[in-house]
Amino acid sequence: MIEEPTLTVSKIRNGTVIDHIPAGKAMDILNVLGIDGKEGLRIAVLMNVESKKLGRKDIIKIEGRRLSPDDLNVIALLAPNATINIIEDFAVIEKYKVSLPNVITDVLRCPNPTCITNKKGEHVRTRFKLLSKEPLKLQCEYCGTVISESEVAKLVARKH
Ligand code: CTP
Ligand code: ZN
């Protein structure tokens, strides 16, 4: 049997592997997680690698970092079928799929400049209702503005 050529990347000891990311989306995900490499974390990014389920996929391996619930929500916005693997001492101790909640608070900003969530001094937290998963559509609960998949990456409120 002839072996397929593969891109081998070492396993990690402790941390998080984000698997089954749509091909080409890994950089957007690192960006919305606020990870740029300057934190000193050891990170492997695989792009356009073979996948049994997706044809091609991206994978991100982050050593020494766990993800917060907000992190998981932004990943779900960009990679609705991503699998999160928690690694401890080289073993996968937890594996789950991300899921999009019906209401997403805080992580997105509203593109409408007159929306109350963009008023200085008001400190209103954003709330978007999930209208549709495919294609992705979310609606601001305050002003009704609808945002779609192509706008999501640039509307993620960066914490870093
Ligand atoms: N992984 C890693 N370091 C480890 C353990 C696993 O980087 N110490 C990575 C694997 O390379 C893989 C992902 O974490 O990309 C999930 O590992 P595993 O559950 O062993 O792989 P699969 O069974 O192929 O996962 P799935 O069924 O979710 O596709
Ligand atoms: Zn709004």
Side-chain angles (χ1 to χ4, degrees), residues 65-101:
R65 166 132 176 214
R66 292 294 186 93
L67 300 170
S68 69
D70 275 0
D71 290 337
L72 297 174
N73 286 344
V74 293
I75 292 169
L77 287 168
L78 297 170
N81 298 312
T83 307
I84 308 296
N85 298 276
I86 311 295
I87 314 293
E88 259 180 41
D89 227 354
F90 290 108
V92 178
I93 60 149
E94 226 184 292
K95 182 193 284 284
Y96 53 87
K97 289 213 150 266
V98 294
S99 67
L100 268 177

Side-chain angles (χ1 to χ4, degrees), residues 1 4-6 11 19-23 48-59 81 83 85 95 97:
M1 204 171 91
E4 288 276 308
T6 49
K11 306 250 169 206
D19 198 356
H20 307 121
I21 300 168
N48 304 315
V49 296
E50 292 72 18
S51 158
K52 282 167 223 137
K53 296 175 206 163
L54 297 176
R56 296 278 171 143
K57 66 173 179 180
D58 289 1
I59 306 173
N81 298 312
T83 307
N85 298 276
K95 182 193 284 284
K97 289 213 150 266

Side-chain angles (χ1 to χ4, degrees), residues 110 112 115 117 140 142-143 145:
C110 183
N112 170 10
C115 180
T117 59
C140 175
Y142 294 95
C143 71
T145 298

